[in-house]
Amino acid sequence: MSETSRRAVGVSVNTLGKDFGEKRALDGVSIDVEPGTFLVLLGPSGSGKTTLLRCVAGIERPSSGTISIGGNVVVGGKTFVPPERRRLAMVFQDYALWPHLTVRKNVAYPLATSSLEKSERAGRCDDLLGRVGINHLADRYPNELSGGEQQRVALARALAAEVGLILFDEPLSNLDADRREQLRIEIATLTREAGMTAIYITHDQSEAFALADQIGVLNQGRLVQFDTPENIYRHPDSAFVARFTGVAGEFPVHVTSLMGDDRVAVALPFGSGHTIVASSIESLKPDADVSLFVRSSGVTLAEPAHGEGVRGVIRDVAFNGRGYDHVIDVGEGFSLTKIFATTRFERGRNVKICFDPSACFVMDPTREVSE
Ligand code: ATP
C-alpha cells in the first residue's frame, strides 16, 4: 500500500457560512478536496481564506454548513469536533513553536502519543530533521534560529504528526525571497512524499501556481473558481480571476465577428482599430463592447519591419535573469506590462506586437460567476 493511500484524507466543505456580526466572511463555500490533493486557496486580503482554513482546523466555528474530513463529519448540525480530534497538522505564518523545547523535542512532540517504540520515534525524528535540512540544529532552541529555520522545524513537526491532512497558513510570508523559494519547493515535495492532503492559503498568485494541484479562488467570502492552475490561467471564469492571477493589459474592445470554437475577432482601441483574434470566455453577441484581458504569455515582440502585429514603443526594460521584461506603450494612453523576450529591446525603440489568441480573453468586465 502506498503512503498516499494509507494517510491522505479527503475534505468536503458544503455551503459553509461564517458571520462576524454584520460581516459575512464566508458565503456558501463548497469545496471537495480529493485525498492527496495539494489545494491552494488564493484570494485578496479579506476574501475569507483564513476564516475557511480556521473552520477546517476547528479554531473557528462556522455559522452554517458542514465539513467532513476523511468521511467523518467534523462540523454539521450539533456536531463540532474540537481541533485536537480532527487528526490534522498546521503550519502557521508565525511558526508557533514551543519556545522551551529544543528543535528535536519540538519535532518529536506529535510523536509522543504514537504507538512507535522510543528508538523508532528517535529515528523518525532524525529522518525528518534530515529531510528539511536542519539535523545540525537539533539541540538549539527556537529563539536561536532564523525565521526560515524555524519554519523548517514547523514543517518537520507537521510531517511528524501521523495524520492525513496538513493546513498551511501563509507559511512563507515572513521569509525573504531566496528562503521562500527553497522552502516552497520543500513544502511541495515533502508534503506529497508524506502522502498527505494539503490546504494552503496565500494571496501570492505565483506561489499558488507553483504549488497547487487545484486552486480555489476566493473573493468576498465566495468561491469564484475552483480548478487546476492551468485552467485558471488559460480559462479564467471572471474578470476578477483574470485580474487577480495577473494580466499584462486590459483594454475595452469591440467584437467585430464571431469565428466559432470560442474565437472572436475584436477591434483594439489602439493601433488604428487593428483587429486581433481572441478567446471568448462567455457567449458574446457580434458588436458587443467588452474587455480584452491579455496574459503576458499572450504577446510576442518582433522587429518593426515584421509584417503582422500592432506598433508599440518600448517604455521600460528590466533584466530578470532568464531574459527581459518590457513595458510597451501601444498608443491612445494604453500600455502592456511584463512582456517577456529573451533579447533586449531598448527603451524608445519601435516594435511590432503579436497577440496569441489562446492567451488573450474577451469577456464582460463585470462578469461574475458564482459556484
Ligand atoms: P488576509 O489575506 O488579509 O489574511 P483573508 O482572506 O484570510 O485575509 P479573513 O481573515 O478570512 O480574510 O477575513 C475575512 C473577513 O472577515 C474580513 O473582512 C475580516 O475583516 C473579517 N474577519 C475575520 N475575522 C474576524 C473577527 N474575528 N471579527 C470580525 N471580523 C473578522
Side-chain angles (χ1 to χ4, degrees), residues 275-302:
T275 301
I276 66 160
V277 178
S279 305
S280 68
I281 295 294
E282 57 190 336
S283 70
L284 294 172
K285 296 205 170 68
D287 278 340
D289 287 313
V290 285
S291 282
L292 170 71
F293 297 86
V294 180
R295 296 288 195 202
S296 55
S297 61
V299 176
T300 46
L301 297 183

Side-chain angles (χ1 to χ4, degrees), residues 20 23-25 43-52 60 170 201 203:
F20 293 106
K23 175 75 199 170
R24 190 126 181 87
S45 184
S47 56
K49 306 179 296 293
T50 311
T51 306
L52 178 52
E60 205 74 75
E170 305 220 30
I201 64 177
H203 55 261

Side-chain angles (χ1 to χ4, degrees), residues 71-337:
N72 301 313
V73 175
V74 293
V75 176
K78 293 208 166 70
T79 305
F80 184 83
V81 176
E84 65 279 9
R85 289 192 24 234
R86 292 198 181 188
R87 300 198 44 74
L88 51 84
M90 266 195 100
V91 178
F92 298 92
Q93 198 169 340
D94 59 0
Y95 325 129
L97 300 175
W98 297 111
H100 61 294
L101 297 182
T102 61
V103 165
R104 190 190 303 282
K105 287 191 173 152
N106 263 285
V107 174
Y109 191 82
L111 293 171
T113 54
S114 141
S115 55
L116 294 177
E117 295 289 327
K118 198 174 171 196
S119 63
E120 282 177 313
R121 267 187 262 162
R124 181 156 172 73
C125 184
D126 283 344
D127 175 49
L128 284 165
L129 289 172
R131 284 189 197 209
V132 301
I134 51 168
N135 255 329
H136 59 296
L137 304 173
D139 297 319
R140 291 215 201 150
Y141 287 88
N143 68 357
E144 298 168 331
L145 304 176
S146 72
E149 289 163 348
Q150 289 189 63
Q151 202 54 304
R152 279 165 196 273
V153 180
L155 177 61
R157 183 180 60 181
L159 294 169
E162 292 173 318
V163 296
L165 175 63
I166 185 164
L167 307 179
F168 293 95
D169 181 0
E170 305 220 30
L172 306 181
S173 56
N174 288 338
L175 307 181
D176 61 43
D178 272 0
R179 290 222 171 77
R180 212 158 43 217
E181 177 69 10
Q182 279 170 14
L183 200 56
R184 178 182 64 64
I185 295 165
E186 270 148 39
I187 286 174
T189 47
L190 294 174
T191 307
R192 286 178 171 93
E193 264 172 38
M196 292 162 103
T197 305
I199 305 180
Y200 183 109
I201 64 177
T202 182
H203 55 261
D204 179 333
Q205 40 106 352
S206 61
E207 205 172 296
F209 281 129
L211 279 166
D213 299 320
Q214 296 277 327
I215 295 179
V217 185
L218 288 166
N219 186 26
Q220 297 182 345
R222 292 191 304 127
L223 184 71
V224 290
Q225 192 164 358
F226 180 60
D227 222 325
T228 60
E230 290 81 359
N231 278 343
I232 295 227
Y233 191 80
R234 294 183 192 137
H235 307 285
D237 265 353
S238 60
F240 170 81
V241 172
R243 289 184 194 119
F244 194 67
T245 51
V247 288
E250 176 180 341
F251 312 107
V253 292
H254 183 73
V255 177
T256 57
S257 65
L258 307 181
M259 307 175 73
D261 286 340
D262 297 333
R263 293 283 153 103
V264 291
V266 294
L268 296 172
F270 48 83
S272 313
H274 186 95
T275 301
I276 66 160
V277 178
S279 305
S280 68
I281 295 294
E282 57 190 336
S283 70
L284 294 172
K285 296 205 170 68
D287 278 340
D289 287 313
V290 285
S291 282
L292 170 71
F293 297 86
V294 180
R295 296 288 195 202
S296 55
S297 61
V299 176
T300 46
L301 297 183
E303 294 297 329
H306 190 76
E308 299 290 308
V310 179
R311 283 175 198 284
V313 179
I314 303 291
R315 189 201 312 164
D316 188 46
V317 53
F319 180 53
N320 71 11
R322 283 189 314 127
Y324 302 88
D325 287 325
H326 300 86
V327 179
I328 306 156
D329 288 327
V330 288
E332 313 298 331
F334 293 106
S335 60
L336 286 159
T337 56

